[in-house]
Amino acid sequence: MILTVTLNPCVDKTYLIEDFAVHKLNRPSQALTVAGGKGLNVARVYTRLGGQALATGLLGGYNGHIVQTALAGEGIAHDFVEISKETRLCIKVVDPLRKTETEINELGPTVSATEMARFMAHLERLLTSHSFAMVAFCGSLPLGIEASWVKTILRRAQQAGAKTVLDSSGAALREGIAASPWLVKPNRTELEELWEHPISSVETARCAATALRENYGVEVFLCTLGAEGALWIAEKEAYHVHAPRVNVMSAVASGDSFLAGLLLAIEKGDSVENALRLAAGAGAANAEVLGAGFCEVDIVQKRAEQAQVSRLA
Ligand SMILES: Nc1ncnc2c1ncn2[C@@H]1O[C@H](COP(=O)(O)OP(=O)(O)OP(=O)(O)O)[C@@H](O)[C@H]1O
Ligand SMILES: [Mg+2]
């Protein structure tokens, strides 16, 4: 079983609007409201693929209730700490005609020191009452929470014997990586943030990941590069998984889906090559559908079979 930590989840609303434009009335042809947030997406895909995942974090207000109800409706195990302020609303506008994706993400609630202390006590209870194979810290931090908490959370999970995973950006990524998690999953932009230089090719990504992995004492640097696939950089081996070609509907949460597939295969004891195939299958299958992590298991399997893995070292 894995635990995903999402401190700033959201109600995720996706509108499908053909020919979306400013200064005009836009009417969605489809509207989808789901529980959102990176760790929730990971838990969704993990659960869909037959694994056991528990989602935790902070939820508050009406939007918090919407998220809880949605998670229950989907059969995603969850155990959140309630906060006083309203959980945020994130809106995505997908325009299939212009092939654009527009996001409007609220900053979200300000969390108090008392609420964060309650969360840490809650995490402590979860870690002592379950035996999680992996604990993944996913996504951004809400206002009021110092980035150093990410390091504290990861260290606590490490002490409990779990493999730790970090998928974040900005200060949370920089602070969290200092805990030397087992695996860090930056996308191209996040890798650039860490490397402080542009990542213009797969080869540059490989060099950056190799150096950063050593610097931070991370076991696995897993860089996802959108349609260019992903790199698995570890001490003894390096792989490039090529993404299967698909008709892209929305690649939002393809990284979360990729991570879910990868962690599930690793938890089951699969080889790195097979784990990368399942991961690429989940990332691609997610890109083919609207919404974050709503990929179909049979499509994930089909895409996984199409994913090519090459060993680099
Ligand atoms: N257009 C695409 N076609 C096929 N596979 C894709 C495509 N985009 C993404 N993927 C798969 O999903 C993986 C993750 O994608 P990406 O690097 O865009 O993640 P991300 O930016 O972290 O996404 P998010 O944070 O929204 O979940 C890629 O490594 C790839 O395997
Ligand atoms: Mg990502």
Side-chain angles (χ1 to χ4, degrees), residues 123-183:
L123 179 71
E124 200 63 45
R125 278 193 297 277
L126 290 178
L127 290 171
T128 45
S129 59
H130 297 70
S131 171
F132 297 110
M134 297 162 192
V135 174
F137 183 95
C138 305
S140 61
L141 288 169
L143 297 172
I145 304 291
E146 297 256 346
S148 60
W149 278 110
V150 182
K151 194 163 54 190
T152 311
I153 290 169
L154 291 170
R155 290 224 167 112
R156 186 56 204 94
Q158 286 162 347
Q159 284 159 9
K163 281 187 158 133
T164 48
V165 175
L166 176 63
D167 181 4
S168 192
S169 57
L173 172 59
R174 280 195 305 277
E175 283 286 328
I177 204 170
S180 299
W182 167 67
L183 182 145

Side-chain angles (χ1 to χ4, degrees), residues 17 21 35 56 106 130-131 149 180 192 206 244 247 262 270 282 292:
I17 303 178
T56 191
E106 290 180 11
H130 297 70
S131 171
W149 278 110
S180 299
E192 284 175 342
R206 186 184 166 189
N247 286 324
L262 185 106
D270 266 0

Side-chain angles (χ1 to χ4, degrees), residues 50-261:
Q52 274 190 295
L54 178 67
T56 191
L58 306 169
L59 285 174
Y62 294 115
N63 286 336
H65 283 293
I66 294 174
V67 169
Q68 296 230 18
T69 311
L71 287 173
E74 281 189 65
I76 299 170
H78 57 281
D79 193 350
F80 279 79
V81 167
E82 196 172 337
I83 53 169
S84 63
K85 300 259 167 55
E86 186 80 22
T87 289
R88 67 204 174 120
L89 171 66
C90 293
I91 300 171
K92 281 182 194 67
V93 177
V94 177
D95 183 343
L97 216 70
R98 291 173 185 260
K99 304 221 180 308
T100 58
E101 274 180 20
T102 309
E103 296 190 52
I104 302 165
N105 292 353
E106 290 180 11
L107 273 180
T110 301
V111 175
S112 71
T114 318
E115 286 170 333
M116 193 54 199
R118 279 220 320 272
F119 175 76
M120 288 311 290
H122 177 76
L123 179 71
E124 200 63 45
R125 278 193 297 277
L126 290 178
L127 290 171
T128 45
S129 59
H130 297 70
S131 171
F132 297 110
M134 297 162 192
V135 174
F137 183 95
C138 305
S140 61
L141 288 169
L143 297 172
I145 304 291
E146 297 256 346
S148 60
W149 278 110
V150 182
K151 194 163 54 190
T152 311
I153 290 169
L154 291 170
R155 290 224 167 112
R156 186 56 204 94
Q158 286 162 347
Q159 284 159 9
K163 281 187 158 133
T164 48
V165 175
L166 176 63
D167 181 4
S168 192
S169 57
L173 172 59
R174 280 195 305 277
E175 283 286 328
I177 204 170
S180 299
W182 167 67
L183 182 145
V184 181
K185 194 219 84 62
N187 62 14
R188 190 189 298 268
T189 317
E190 293 148 1
L191 188 63
E192 284 175 342
E193 280 178 33
L194 289 172
W195 188 234
E196 295 177 343
H197 296 288
I199 302 288
S200 50
S201 66
V202 175
E203 198 41 48
T204 325
R206 186 184 166 189
C207 291
T210 306
L212 289 165
R213 195 199 74 81
E214 283 232 21
N215 280 357
Y216 288 104
V218 171
E219 215 162 302
V220 182
F221 235 84
L222 181 71
C223 310
T224 59
L225 304 166
E228 286 186 281
L231 292 172
W232 166 287
I233 310 289
E235 188 188 1
K236 296 215 168 73
E237 77 281 305
Y239 296 95
H240 181 191
V241 59
H242 303 264
R245 279 177 167 271
V246 292
N247 286 324
V248 178
M249 180 66 111
S250 163
V252 172
S254 274
D256 306 332
S257 307
F258 186 101
L259 189 57

